[in-house]
Amino acid sequence: MARDSANGKVLFTEEELNEIAGVKKGEDFVEVICGCTSPRYGDAIGRLKIFASGKLEVACECTPGCREDKLIPSAFERHARRESQRRWKYYVWVIVKGKKIPLLKTALLKYHEKVHGGSSHRGNKGRIVHRDEFIRCSRCDKERRFRLQTKEDCRAYHDAVLDPNWKCSDLSSDEYCCEDEEERATRRSIRGCSRAALCKGCTLCVCFGCDICRFPDCACQTCIDFVRNSANN
């Protein structure tokens, strides 16, 4: 077993580390081989250190002379030149039984999740809650709020993000039209975030993919990757 020598705590059991490639056990961390794949540039390889404090640290080995040795996973994802970023839990992978497995599907994030929270948080009844989002109308140039409370709400927002020419009139409801005033900045609290009213995105309110906000019938790469990863789980 891997232990935190400072307090004798077992970091990971043998079962949790079973058949993960490149496991090395330090005094207060576990290190494994990791990587991130860019469709254009291929695999960037690194070594991920997992600490009981929740800290994650990647030493990149994309080239022999790479000096990036203390990257957080999201920075490693950017460094790997992955076009669709900010979903590092899905796109940074480790090798298990010879296959690339997203970090999210391993036990390696358990300390990180405990300290920083999951990709979304849950209300009193255990329901997944997504933060409100804003999109700017291509016609009137005003930002409009999307309240992501249901799967239909999430689909409307998802489709709007994919449309560079989205406009107020594309909404199926009559909630907004271009003649309506833009919501005042002082009232733009992000409903759904339990950490801060004006949060711009944190681990408690940014969902990296779930059955409510990803769609099997959508052809975007984000949905394709989510459905594929879910099927392989």
Side-chain angles (χ1 to χ4, degrees), residues 70-228:
K70 291 186 178 181
L71 296 171
I72 61 175
S74 59
F76 177 58
E77 182 186 28
R78 292 193 298 272
H79 183 67
R81 297 187 179 184
R82 176 155 189 100
E83 287 83 353
S84 54
Q85 298 173 9
R86 298 181 66 183
R87 299 189 70 229
W88 60 267
K89 295 180 184 180
Y90 285 96
Y91 293 133
V92 176
W93 42 261
V94 295
I95 299 174
V96 182
K97 299 181 181 179
K99 295 182 179 180
K100 298 174 183 176
I101 303 297
L103 281 176
L104 190 65
K105 298 186 180 300
T106 72
L108 299 176
L109 294 183
K110 66 180 183 180
Y111 298 108
H112 177 84
E113 298 294 334
K114 185 179 298 184
V115 173
H116 298 287
S119 59
S120 58
H121 71 280
R122 296 177 182 270
N124 293 333
K125 295 182 180 180
R127 178 174 60 87
I128 292 177
V129 180
H130 293 79
R131 69 194 290 266
D132 289 359
E133 299 285 356
F134 291 84
I135 295 181
R136 189 173 296 278
C137 174
S138 63
R139 178 174 293 173
C140 66
D141 199 38
K142 298 171 184 175
E143 282 194 330
R144 301 305 188 190
R145 181 190 293 269
F146 283 73
R147 293 181 173 87
L148 308 185
Q149 298 178 348
T150 67
K151 193 170 183 69
E152 291 73 23
D153 294 338
C154 289
R155 185 58 186 260
Y157 169 70
H158 181 75
D159 291 346
V161 168
L162 297 176
D163 183 2
N165 299 312
W166 181 86
K167 50 191 179 298
C168 297
S169 59
D170 291 333
L171 288 169
S172 58
S173 67
D174 297 327
E175 186 173 1
Y176 300 114
C177 66
C178 287
E179 287 70 33
D180 293 336
E181 291 296 321
E182 187 176 43
E183 190 171 358
R184 294 198 304 270
T186 54
R187 298 187 62 185
R188 289 185 190 174
S189 60
I190 309 300
R191 246 179 54 178
C193 181
S194 62
R195 181 170 292 179
L198 298 179
C199 175
K200 296 298 184 181
C202 67
T203 57
L204 290 185
C205 66
V206 177
C207 180
F208 293 92
C210 70
D211 291 336
I212 295 177
C213 64
R214 298 291 179 259
F215 311 96
D217 62 336
C218 178
C220 80
Q221 193 61 49
T222 298
C223 287
I224 290 172
D225 288 343
F226 174 80
V227 173
R228 182 186 296 126

Side-chain angles (χ1 to χ4, degrees), residues 23 53 62 67 230:
V23 173
S53 64
C62 62
R67 298 182 179 180
S230 297

Side-chain angles (χ1 to χ4, degrees), residues 26-39:
E27 291 186 357
D28 61 347
F29 66 88
V30 170
E31 182 180 275
V32 299
I33 293 173
C34 71
C36 184
T37 303
S38 164

